[in-house]
């Protein structure tokens, strides 16, 4: 692979994560070959108050609870730091039990919670042009845009995605007006732990590389 075709995903040295001033960056390093204007544009975005507040809150949660808090605890700590009072949950119907548990935890910590499931509205898949064979695993479409609209209407301060399908989650993120984080990433084969396929890509899941 040519250096100009390589990027951060091809790096194994992580000089950008050094605790001291980094040296000896890889030949293809994005940091040393970056368009200065792109960096300036990105940094300027942090001058927007709402972006600045989120970045500082996220950094503080990372520092204060690193390797101590679960994802659920981190979400609550982050919500508190940004002043989020009402939490929206966009859930797959297959994870309603987990989402009810999450809602109970959030409520016990003083948060108001409003949720929207993916099948809300009961719109037939065929009505929007989804191939009829897809109805074999359910006749109603997943409706992430509706979920986002419902949470927008409820005026949530922070939304949590709980196991929406690949692509459906993308549409939810696109249409959600509130800041959104992820509680669970769906992977039915691996118990909603998609990283397991990466950890075993040289053994059990070697087929992924073929």
């Amino acid at each position: 692979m040519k250096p100009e075709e390589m990027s951060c995903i091809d790096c194994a040295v992580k000089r950008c994560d050094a605790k001291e001033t980094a040296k000896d960056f890889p030949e293809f390093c994005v940091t040393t070959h970056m368009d200065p204007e792109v960096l300036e544009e990105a940094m300027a975005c942090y001058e927007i108050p709402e972006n600045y507040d989120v970045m500082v809150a996220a950094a503080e949660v990372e520092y204060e609870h690193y390797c101590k808090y679960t994802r659920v605890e981190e979400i609550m700590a982050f919500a508190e730091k940004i002043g989020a009072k009402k939490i929206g949950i966009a859930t797959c119907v297959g994870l309603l039990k987990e989402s009810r548990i999450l809602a109970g935890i959030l409520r016990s910590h003083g948060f108001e919670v409003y949720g929207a499931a993916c099948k809300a509205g009961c719109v037939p898949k065929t009505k929007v042009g989804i191939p009829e064979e897809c109805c074999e695993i359910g006749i109603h479409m997943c409706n992430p845009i509706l979920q986002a609209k419902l949470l927008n209407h409820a005026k949530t301060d922070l939304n949590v995605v709980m196991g929406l399908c690949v692509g459906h989650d993308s549409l939810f993120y696109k249409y959600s007006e509130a800041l959104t984080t992820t509680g669970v990433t769906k992977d039915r084969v691996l118990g909603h732990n998609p990283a397991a396929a990466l950890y075993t890509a040289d053994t059990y899941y070697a087929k992924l590389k073929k």
Side-chain angles (χ1 to χ4, degrees):
M1 185 180 294
K2 299 178 181 178
E4 59 268 24
E5 297 175 342
M6 301 173 75
S7 63
C8 292
I9 57 172
D10 302 299
C11 177
V13 296
K14 299 190 292 185
R15 291 287 185 265
C16 57
D17 195 35
K19 293 185 177 180
E20 300 178 355
T21 302
K23 298 178 181 179
D24 302 323
F25 289 93
E27 179 184 359
F28 60 86
C29 184
V30 169
T31 294
T32 55
H33 291 74
M34 187 181 300
D35 182 342
E37 290 188 7
V38 175
L39 176 59
E40 290 177 7
E41 288 175 4
M43 298 311 298
C45 290
Y46 294 113
E47 296 177 11
I48 300 173
E50 62 183 24
N51 292 343
Y52 172 82
D53 291 343
V54 168
M55 178 52 64
V56 171
E60 289 177 344
V61 169
E62 178 189 25
Y63 165 71
E64 294 168 5
H65 309 295
Y66 196 67
C67 294
K68 299 176 183 177
Y69 269 17
T70 63
R71 181 77 178 189
V72 171
E73 291 172 306
E74 286 187 337
I75 289 173
M76 291 191 292
F78 176 69
E80 290 174 353
K81 284 185 177 291
I82 64 172
K85 304 296 184 182
K86 190 171 187 178
I87 310 297
I89 297 178
T91 183
C92 168
V93 292
L95 276 85
L96 269 174
K97 179 180 178 180
E98 292 83 351
S99 292
R100 285 198 302 272
I101 293 171
L102 175 61
I105 293 171
L106 293 172
R107 286 167 176 155
S108 72
H109 284 79
F111 294 102
E112 184 180 354
V113 182
Y114 186 84
C118 60
K119 301 294 185 179
C122 296
V123 179
K125 291 178 179 177
T126 53
K127 184 174 182 179
V128 294
I130 295 173
E132 190 168 355
E133 58 262 29
C134 294
C135 293
E136 291 183 12
I137 57 172
I139 62 172
H140 295 133
M141 67 178 289
C142 292
N143 203 330
I145 295 178
L146 175 61
Q147 287 176 283
K149 297 288 186 180
L150 289 171
L151 297 186
N152 292 346
H153 184 74
K155 299 188 182 303
T156 53
D157 302 312
L158 175 68
N159 292 330
V160 181
V161 166
M162 291 289 287
L164 298 188
C165 298
V166 172
H168 296 155
D169 55 359
S170 302
L171 287 172
F172 180 83
Y173 295 133
K174 181 176 181 179
Y175 284 91
S176 172
E177 292 177 357
L179 200 66
T180 302
T181 190
T182 303
V184 175
T185 301
K186 177 182 284 177
D187 188 326
R188 295 192 184 282
V189 173
L190 297 174
H192 307 308
N193 176 23
L198 307 180
Y199 298 143
T200 58
D202 291 324
T203 54
Y204 300 109
Y205 277 92
K207 65 180 182 180
L208 295 176
K209 293 184 175 181
K210 297 179 180 179

